[in-house]
Amino acid sequence: MAKTIGVTLSHRVSVGLVLDHKLVGPLHSFPTLDVDDDSSLVELHTEGLVRTICEQVRLVVGDHDDISAVGVALPGIVKHGVVEDSPNLPQLKGARIAELLGAELRNHGLQTFVHVLNDADGVAAGLAATIGKLDSFIRVWTLGIGIGYGRYPFGEGVWEGGHTIVTLDDKENYCGCGGRGHIEGIMGHRAMRLRFLDMEPEEVFAIARKGGSGKDVARCRDFVRLWHKALAAGTATQIHMGGPGRFLITGFNAKYVDLAMLKDYIHQMVKMSPLQSYALEIVDDKPETRIIGSAVAAEQAAC
Ligand SMILES: [Zn+2]
């Protein structure tokens, strides 16, 4: 039975021990879950981050000496253990994370294989392991600060689906990557705050839901439609490129998804009958799922 460590890196480092695709014992996090500070990791340079991850991994490993792999999921483009770009953790751009972390762990007596992956791919693997089957094909949208697109099983490629072009409007330039017309520029939490400088995303959706008349209501309602159209367009593109199948939607902003509205828009966008056997589902975003996904990915990469 493989003993692996799953790590997620976002605005905090979270680490857990995974045994046979199940989390064993508590998650360790830095900053701890009761601290609501989303800037401390952004301020750490690469060496500091690697040291922080190593410390948390050592806490979780404890007396276990037969750890077969450590999987680290982070937002960004990752190739062969190197972070090629990460708009949300910019200090990591170009960092050879797998090599650095492997060396740091070795210095602390833990000789193990380190695998680094995109966080949305980690979510897809975690969902495949926990609610699906590890032999199924899963695509997942993660709706958070940015928009992630993950797939399981992993396939060679970049898969930055959150930057799919869904509009040719020149004014649509709120994406964190700086590109024009991207899904993330419409749906991402950061992008929504930039668009509505006078209200929080939560208020925008609440006003649209409440209805009535007035300029704000019309503006919010139009935006909520645009938001759903963007997700529908991105999903329709994936269906046209990769075929129909199961799409899962998660992340802290998945609560705003109106499945009926989304399905209606996708129905208008996907008309070829062999492509219409797709399924959409909203699933809870649990930290455990992400940890398990990182560990499963590392275990498979180690084989
Ligand atoms: Zn973008």
Side-chain angles (χ1 to χ4, degrees), residues 59-74:
L59 283 176
V60 169
V61 168
D63 297 332
H64 299 277
D65 57 357
D66 46 354
I67 303 297
S68 57
V70 175
V72 183
L74 54 85

Side-chain angles (χ1 to χ4, degrees), residues 163 175 177 179 182:
H163 303 271
C175 191
C177 80
H182 298 185

Side-chain angles (χ1 to χ4, degrees), residues 207-222:
I207 291 171
R209 230 185 350 257
K210 212 163 63 199
S213 55
K215 206 167 120 260
D216 266 355
V217 176
R219 181 163 72 117
C220 293
R221 217 189 270 156
D222 286 349

Side-chain angles (χ1 to χ4, degrees), residues 3 37 39-40 42 53 66 82 115 130 155 160 164 178 285 300:
K3 240 187 237 178
D37 177 3
S39 62
S40 52
V42 179
I53 296 171
D66 46 354
V82 181
H115 177 64
T130 53
E160 282 291 333
T164 306
D285 187 9
Q300 293 184 350

